[in-house]
Amino acid sequence: MEGIGFRTLDSTGLQLFILVLFPCLSRILAEQEVENLSGLSTNPDKDIFVVRENGTTCLMAEFAVRFVVPYDVLALNGIDLITEQASLALPRGAEIEGRCGNTEAELQISWINDAYTFRIFFIKEVSKGKEIWKISKVQLVYDTSEATHFINAYNPGKHTATTHRLSALVTPAGRSFECLAVQSLTLISTDHQKGVSVSMSDIRIQPFDIQSDFTFGPAYKCITDQREQLEETLPLILGVILGLIIVITLSVYHVHLKMTAQQPQLPRDRSLYKNM
């Protein structure tokens, strides 16, 4: 009986141990890794970010981005306010966080001791019978007391600039968005509704359905790139068509001359007809 009691107690303890340990293991296994690979880019203005979950890439983003942030400064008379502009860019080595999901994802980038935080929110949904993903919100938190970019700012402090009802970079599900051209957004700041400009270029982003580790899905090019590519190839296409028209015209003319030369020539002098 003692042996049976010992085994029963051991089994109960094991069950409790599993119940306590399993959630911890689940959290560990589901823990996300983030990597800033900007140092691998040959473009010093381009940043590369990767979010991995369970050892598999679930979000990748490459882009160059600049921010133009207006802020108030006291005029020389010490009474009036004038507006200056701070120009910001992401530095190499910025800290990142990420969140992956089936229909929602997020990339968060912070630098200079959290004086600046840039967030991009993604959603996946069905639109017009097709599954797509897009950027649903962009946010920049900035601190005007950070004197590197904000010089003599009036009433310095933290502000949040956010887009409203955004639907940007709409891309078919399973594909990555690619665009060399500049994509511009305007964020509305809590600092007296000032407009913060965000300019992104050299973009390659995929927040869902990445099939291979560290590998983007097939590229979906932005309209601007498609138009520029058409403008580049259109003269070539027109040149080829014009060349074909010239070749066809010369060929027809050559055949016409050859057929004309083979026909019998009738004498011009009518008196010669009597001898024929």
Side-chain angles (χ1 to χ4, degrees):
M1 294 296 293
E2 291 181 1
I4 296 173
F6 176 79
R7 284 193 297 271
T8 304
L9 180 62
D10 183 63
S11 176
T12 304
L14 181 60
Q15 290 176 356
L16 291 173
F17 177 75
I18 291 173
L19 288 175
V20 172
L21 183 63
F22 183 78
C24 297
L25 286 173
S26 299
R27 284 195 296 270
I28 293 172
L29 290 174
E31 186 176 355
Q32 293 170 341
E33 306 170 24
V34 291
E35 297 183 70
N36 186 335
L37 304 178
S38 302
L40 299 179
S41 174
T42 55
N43 181 353
D45 297 324
K46 185 175 181 178
D47 299 282
I48 304 174
F49 306 107
V50 176
V51 179
R52 307 180 79 236
E53 186 177 84
N54 299 330
T56 303
T57 303
C58 59
L59 187 155
M60 292 179 66
E62 300 180 6
F63 50 76
V65 61
R66 296 200 69 85
F67 311 93
V68 177
V69 185
Y71 67 101
D72 292 331
V73 176
L74 273 177
L76 293 177
N77 59 18
I79 300 175
D80 298 325
L81 293 177
I82 58 175
T83 300
E84 298 286 351
Q85 289 186 335
S87 181
L88 318 173
L90 293 181
R92 292 287 175 91
E95 297 181 0
I96 71 168
E97 295 181 17
R99 179 173 61 87
C100 294
N102 293 327
T103 58
E104 295 184 359
E106 177 186 347
L107 179 64
Q108 176 178 306
I109 310 164
S110 303
W111 64 102
I112 310 183
N113 297 320
D114 293 335
Y116 306 98
T117 300
F118 182 48
R119 294 188 180 95
I120 307 176
F121 299 84
F122 307 91
I123 63 170
K124 186 167 70 169
E125 62 184 12
V126 176
S127 176
K128 298 179 181 179
K130 296 181 180 180
E131 195 172 35
I132 55 98
W133 67 262
K134 64 182 181 180
I135 292 180
S136 60
K137 183 179 177 182
V138 172
Q139 184 181 82
L140 176 68
V141 178
Y142 60 96
D143 192 346
T144 55
S145 63
E146 197 280 299
T148 304
H149 297 94
F150 298 96
I151 302 171
N152 300 323
Y154 175 75
N155 193 22
K158 279 202 170 184
H159 303 282
T160 301
T162 312
T163 54
H164 296 283
R165 299 180 180 178
L166 182 63
S167 180
L169 278 56
V170 178
T171 306
R175 301 180 66 176
S176 61
F177 179 86
E178 183 177 47
C179 193
L180 295 175
V182 175
Q183 304 292 298
S184 298
L185 299 170
T186 299
L187 283 58
I188 304 303
S189 175
T190 54
D191 182 14
H192 298 89
Q193 301 297 299
K194 290 182 172 65
V196 175
S197 175
V198 180
S199 300
M200 300 176 69
S201 60
D202 205 0
I203 306 169
R204 189 81 184 265
I205 294 179
Q206 186 172 355
F208 304 101
D209 305 317
I210 295 178
Q211 301 300 318
S212 300
D213 212 16
F214 293 105
T215 304
F216 284 109
Y220 178 77
K221 292 185 179 292
C222 62
I223 301 269
T224 309
D225 281 7
Q226 292 179 18
R227 187 182 302 117
E228 290 179 354
Q229 186 176 7
L230 179 61
E231 290 174 354
E232 290 176 358
T233 57
L234 187 59
L236 178 61
I237 294 171
L238 292 177
V240 170
I241 293 173
L242 180 59
L244 288 173
I245 291 173
I246 292 173
V247 169
I248 292 171
T249 302
L250 291 175
S251 299
V252 171
Y253 181 67
H254 177 72
V255 171
H256 173 72
L257 288 178
K258 192 172 181 181
M259 291 178 65
T260 304
Q262 291 176 353
Q263 291 178 356
Q265 298 295 322
L266 297 176
R268 294 179 180 274
D269 190 351
R270 294 188 178 184
S271 63
L272 297 176
Y273 286 117
K274 297 177 180 181
N275 300 322
M276 294 180 64

